[in-house]
Amino acid sequence: MVTEFLFSIFPHLHEGGLLFFVPLLIVYVFIITGNLVIVVVVQLDTALRTPMYFFISVLSFLEIWYTTTTIPKMLSNLVSEQKTISLAGCLMQMYFFHSLGITEGCVLTAMAIDRYIAICHPLRYPTIMTPRLCIQLTAGSCLCGFLLVLPEIAWMATLPFCGSNQIHQIFCDFTPVLSLACTDTSLVVIVDAIHAVEILASFLVITLSYIRIIVVILAMPSAEGRHKAFSTCAAHLAVFLLFFGSVAVMYLRFSATYSVFWDTTIAATFVILAPFLNPIIYSLRNKDMKDAIGRLFRSQKTA
């Protein structure tokens, strides 16, 4: 019986593991630092105490833990001779990774609804998007994310694993792990269908919201108003396309199969690339956020 799994995809240290370790470490430090700065700035700067920046700070907070579930283990695998993970550790990694990922998807959906109300119904926006509603949407997102994955992880914990213990992926994921089970796993089709419905529902809500937003923006008489509205929504749309695009390709494949190379590339997109770009999109490409960061650092120097 298998009690631990081996990440066979990682190169050994003498095979170039260090060449991947250093860039990945830099990326991880940037992700943690960038998202932490966003969370702190939104909390301390009164000018950013709006629903939009509240959701951005929640997303940044989730990104810190989302990447921490996978990247530290990847770093360890790149420099360690023992590229293994226990069965319990693997199940825990899957649970928190997918729970946080689904929560992020729900928060992105809430952000799209927020932008829709702000642009399409500006007069009613302050009365609809109250702080209480923002907290309720965030709590609902967390509840959805952390409960939806629980039955599948609990079921996988009862499965026997035997034979090969090699995982051909950069982290523990449902399909690579289930392929190692020495029993019938056809029940996973039902669970996959539930996840597919969740992904498609979020995708549909966000897509319809932005279609309506674009129609309203194009009808604005002021060129300055159109530019400001587009610049606000462009960042959200970029994060949405990057995150949901890679997730859809990975988890809505149905019977399609990819090579190990493409599986790894797609996984790296939403595990590493998307979290790396989020702080850049939400801070360096956002004037209000850049101004707030500048005010924070200036206040620290004068203190």
Side-chain angles (χ1 to χ4, degrees):
M1 299 299 291
V2 172
T3 57
E4 64 178 17
F5 299 109
L6 172 69
F7 292 102
S8 61
I9 201 168
F10 288 95
H12 289 283
L13 192 62
H14 63 272
E15 294 173 344
L18 195 61
L19 295 176
F20 293 97
F21 176 84
V22 175
L24 184 58
L25 178 62
I26 294 170
V27 167
Y28 180 58
V29 171
F30 175 81
I31 291 170
I32 299 300
T33 306
N35 283 299
L36 199 57
V37 167
I38 291 174
V39 172
V40 171
V41 167
V42 171
Q43 292 299 313
L44 296 180
D45 198 298
T46 54
L48 299 182
R49 289 180 185 172
T50 64
M52 183 180 79
Y53 288 107
F54 171 79
F55 287 124
I56 287 175
S57 69
V58 170
L59 190 66
S60 294
F61 179 77
L62 291 171
E63 286 281 18
I64 292 171
W65 298 108
Y66 176 76
T67 52
T68 301
T69 60
T70 54
I71 295 183
K73 184 59 181 175
M74 292 182 205
L75 291 168
S76 172
N77 288 334
L78 286 169
V79 295
S80 172
E81 289 298 321
Q82 296 294 326
K83 306 178 188 301
T84 58
I85 186 171
S86 66
L87 174 58
C90 190
L91 293 173
M92 290 289 285
Q93 186 183 66
M94 278 192 291
Y95 174 68
F96 284 107
F97 175 78
H98 285 282
S99 295
L100 290 162
I102 292 172
T103 304
E104 281 193 26
C106 293
V107 171
L108 285 170
T109 306
M111 290 172 69
I113 295 171
D114 170 70
R115 290 299 83 204
Y116 167 77
I117 298 172
I119 293 173
C120 300
H121 303 283
L123 298 179
R124 298 173 59 193
Y125 179 72
T127 58
I128 296 174
M129 293 304 298
T130 60
R132 181 180 179 182
L133 180 60
C134 293
I135 292 172
Q136 288 174 340
L137 287 172
T138 302
S141 298
C142 294
L143 202 63
C144 176
F146 282 86
L147 289 182
L148 198 61
V149 185
L150 197 56
E152 186 167 7
I153 297 297
W155 169 65
M156 289 180 68
T158 66
L159 297 178
F161 294 91
C162 53
S164 174
N165 70 335
Q166 295 189 14
I167 297 177
H168 301 290
Q169 188 52 280
I170 56 177
F171 64 98
C172 285
D173 205 3
F174 293 132
T175 302
V177 173
L178 283 172
S179 66
L180 303 178
C182 49
T183 187
D184 180 32
T185 59
S186 57
L187 185 65
V188 76
V189 175
I190 300 172
V191 183
D192 286 344
I194 295 171
H195 293 324
V197 169
E198 192 274 333
I199 294 170
L200 291 172
S202 295
F203 185 87
L204 187 63
V205 170
I206 295 173
T207 302
L208 292 175
S209 297
Y210 279 107
I211 289 173
R212 178 58 180 161
I213 287 169
I214 291 170
V215 170
V216 171
I217 290 174
L218 292 175
M220 289 180 176
S222 167
E224 184 181 351
R226 287 197 300 271
H227 179 267
K228 185 176 180 180
F230 266 125
S231 63
T232 302
C233 295
H236 301 167
L237 200 55
V239 172
F240 157 65
L241 291 174
L242 186 63
F243 180 79
F244 274 96
S246 54
V247 167
V249 171
M250 189 70 173
Y251 296 109
L252 298 182
R253 66 176 74 184
F254 300 106
S255 60
T257 57
Y258 307 133
S259 66
V260 174
F261 171 79
W262 284 112
D263 255 347
T264 306
T265 303
I266 296 166
T269 302
F270 61 83
V271 173
I272 303 169
L273 183 61
F276 173 74
L277 292 177
N278 282 357
I280 298 173
I281 293 170
Y282 284 131
S283 58
L284 299 181
R285 299 287 299 170
N286 186 301
K287 184 180 181 300
D288 293 336
M289 187 67 75
K290 284 191 292 185
D291 291 343
I293 293 172
R295 287 193 295 270
L296 177 65
F297 280 106
R298 284 194 297 270
S299 66
Q300 291 297 315
K301 286 181 180 179
T302 57

